[in-house]
Amino acid sequence: MNRAVGILRVVARRLLGALGLLVGASAIIYMTVRAAPGNALDAIIPLETPEDVKMQLLKDFGLDQGPIMGFITWVGNALHGDLGACIGRSFQGMTVQEVALPAYAMTVLLATLSLLACFCLALGLVLVTGGGGRTSRRLMAPLYVVSSAPSFVVAVFFIQI
């Protein structure tokens, strides 16, 4: 019984740590984006847009609030499934999930290809070197490069071959 309680404590501690990491990383990213000069609307609306339309869009996007209240509003919306602007709708009239799903699927595919490439390279190096010696150290450099490079770069490289 004591062992089960200990395991539950460890799992609970890890879950709380993961939640703290998620909230902390989200806050840092949100505050960094908000601290940048301008805002998202400056990049997507024409210069000749009337001021009243800009103000309404700022309100719709939550950019009329301060950074802390904006983050709290964003978290609340995200907890209700609203991951985007203008009540979960993109400018194309689709939900954010409908817009993001194809990109997410491509990301998963690229990450899988990258992981597979790393696995094949590591397996090949182990078979060639026998797991030790001077040759092993020289041949490990490509594995370090592949495993430390961003996964999409490695995947695109291997797709081109």
Side-chain angles (χ1 to χ4, degrees):
M1 188 61 138
N2 287 338
R3 183 176 178 162
V5 171
I7 290 173
L8 287 175
R9 283 185 184 160
V10 169
V11 169
R13 200 172 328 139
R14 295 286 175 126
L15 287 174
L16 284 173
L19 180 64
L21 179 65
L22 180 65
V23 170
S26 297
I28 290 171
I29 292 168
Y30 184 89
M31 296 301 171
T32 302
V33 169
R34 287 293 297 263
N39 58 41
L41 288 180
D42 294 336
I44 60 175
I45 61 174
L47 291 175
E48 62 273 359
T49 303
E51 197 61 35
D52 59 328
V53 174
K54 286 182 185 179
M55 296 310 285
Q56 182 60 44
L57 285 172
L58 282 172
K59 185 177 181 204
D60 290 346
F61 280 88
L63 297 172
D64 61 335
Q65 303 173 355
I68 294 174
M69 280 308 297
F71 178 71
I72 292 170
T73 302
W74 177 80
V75 169
N77 290 342
L79 290 175
H80 287 94
D82 181 2
L83 300 176
C86 296
I87 312 164
R89 294 271 169 202
S90 71
F91 284 114
Q92 294 88 9
M94 300 184 300
T95 65
V96 173
Q97 288 84 356
E98 290 170 342
V99 173
L101 194 59
Y104 179 73
M106 184 57 69
T107 300
V108 169
L109 174 65
L110 290 175
T112 303
L113 286 173
S114 176
L115 183 62
L116 185 62
C118 261
F119 177 75
C120 291
L121 186 59
L123 184 63
L125 287 173
V126 166
L127 292 175
V128 168
T129 63
R134 177 170 264 167
T135 306
S136 173
R137 280 183 256 140
R138 283 192 201 123
L139 292 176
M140 288 303 288
L143 181 61
Y144 289 136
V145 169
V146 170
S147 62
S148 64
S151 59
F152 65 89
V153 171
V154 176
V156 169
F157 174 77
F158 280 103
I159 286 172
Q160 298 299 321
I161 294 179

